[in-house]
Amino acid sequence: MSYGQGGPQSQWDPWKPNSQQPWSSGGDDGTPDWAALAEASETRNKRRRVLFIGGGALATIAVGTAVAMAVVSANGDNDASGNPTNLPASASLPSGSATAPSFAPTSAPPPLDPKDFISSVKKDTAPLSPETLFPGTQLTMGSTVYKKGATADTKNCASAADATLPKILTANGCTRLIRTSYTKPGIAITVGVAVFDTQAQAAKAKAQTDDRSIVRSLAGKGVKPFCDGAVCFSTRNTVGRYAYFTITGFTNGKNVTKKDTQAFSVSDDLQEFTFRQIYRRGEAQASAAANR
């Protein structure tokens, strides 16, 4: 009894393990078919070469892809138009606006006080005369024009004062008394400026005055004598080392009463002008000292 006859003969697959190798169908001597084996070997070698070649192509594609990705990454947003890529991080870049330089705080010296220069003979060294205090030939205050008359300048202060004032000026060290007269139609006024060495002396002299402490009126240069026997209006004030006095009266010799507001207005104008002139001395000297 024989087995295996009548069924299909099994095929040998060189890539299938344990498959039956073909033998020559022409003989039963058990000798291998060498031609078939050589053909099978050649088939296996061809398949391997195809795989190796295909794998190499895949490897080449992979390497090329990696290089391309590297190139894309190198030319990304951090590289602007070919500029160097070794810039600091954006957080450390300086801001677009320049920062102003900082300096240590400084303080300007306080402005010089004009009153300091008119309060002591040591600082008040500017030229002083009737012309520096009362310049020109006339004075305009608001809408009123005053014509200037005679001027006088004396170191004997008592000689230019009346009633109780001479003694006061002498006792407090008055060194000079400058006078000037002004007129407007019907009214005349004399301004007298007494000069002391210190503000304290001027203030003390003014404190000792009373209603009878008057400067002597000054006539001349178009100003007729006034206040020789009539009642006149007088004032007294100080600024710095200066005490200034006014006496106002009518040129026709009549008395000044409380109703004569024109006389009071003239006195106010000349008091204000005299104060300004003395204070301007201080301003001019303070400005000159600050610019040295």
Side-chain angles (χ1 to χ4, degrees):
M1 186 174 180
S2 62
Y3 295 93
Q5 298 193 12
Q9 188 176 0
S10 63
Q11 299 295 322
W12 172 70
D13 186 353
W15 299 101
K16 185 176 181 181
N18 301 321
S19 62
Q20 183 178 358
Q21 293 184 358
W23 300 97
S24 174
S25 59
D28 296 327
D29 57 359
T31 303
D33 187 349
W34 300 109
L37 291 175
E39 184 180 355
S41 177
E42 180 63 23
T43 301
R44 287 196 302 271
N45 290 335
K46 286 182 179 181
R47 291 184 180 181
R48 288 175 182 172
R49 284 196 297 270
V50 171
L51 289 174
F52 286 143
I53 293 171
L58 291 174
T60 302
I61 293 172
V63 171
T65 303
V67 172
M69 292 178 65
V71 171
V72 171
S73 177
N75 289 287
D77 294 338
N78 290 333
D79 183 11
S81 302
N83 291 334
T85 59
N86 57 346
L87 292 174
S90 60
S92 62
L93 290 174
S95 61
S97 59
T99 302
S102 59
F103 300 96
T106 59
S107 59
L112 300 177
D113 187 353
K115 193 174 180 181
D116 289 342
F117 289 85
I118 56 174
S119 295
S120 171
V121 68
K122 294 180 180 180
K123 283 191 172 183
D124 190 12
T125 58
L128 178 63
S129 69
E131 287 302 319
T132 61
L133 282 178
F134 308 104
T137 59
Q138 67 181 29
L139 168 65
T140 301
M141 296 291 289
S143 59
T144 305
V145 178
Y146 299 95
K147 293 183 178 180
K148 190 171 78 171
T151 60
D153 186 3
T154 180
K155 293 182 180 179
N156 183 3
C157 299
S159 66
D162 281 333
T164 61
L165 186 57
K167 184 178 179 180
I168 294 171
L169 296 178
T170 302
N172 288 283
C174 177
T175 61
R176 193 172 179 182
L177 184 56
I178 299 172
R179 290 179 297 162
T180 303
S181 292
Y182 289 89
T183 61
K184 62 173 286 189
I187 301 176
I189 182 172
T190 295
V191 182
V193 179
V195 184
F196 300 84
D197 286 343
T198 67
Q199 176 178 324
Q201 289 175 307
K204 185 178 179 181
K206 191 262 181 183
Q208 293 175 353
T209 61
D210 55 30
D211 291 342
R212 297 188 301 120
S213 301
I214 57 176
V215 68
R216 186 173 292 178
S217 61
L218 180 65
K221 288 192 174 181
V223 179
K224 297 179 179 180
F226 65 101
C227 294
D228 285 342
V231 175
C232 292
F233 178 67
S234 65
T235 64
R236 49 204 186 272
N237 290 286
T238 62
V239 55
R241 69 187 187 105
Y242 300 90
Y244 55 101
F245 305 86
T246 67
I247 185 167
T248 307
F250 291 107
T251 55
N252 60 7
K254 75 172 186 177
N255 294 333
V256 176
T257 67
K258 293 181 179 180
K259 296 180 180 180
D260 293 320
T261 56
Q262 288 188 357
F264 303 148
S265 178
V266 170
S267 178
D268 289 343
D269 283 348
L270 268 297
Q271 286 183 81
E272 180 180 351
F273 177 70
T274 303
F275 171 84
R276 289 180 181 177
Q277 288 298 98
I278 296 172
Y279 198 79
R280 282 170 183 162
R281 284 178 56 82
E283 290 178 327
Q285 293 178 93
S287 177
N291 294 326
R292 289 173 188 169

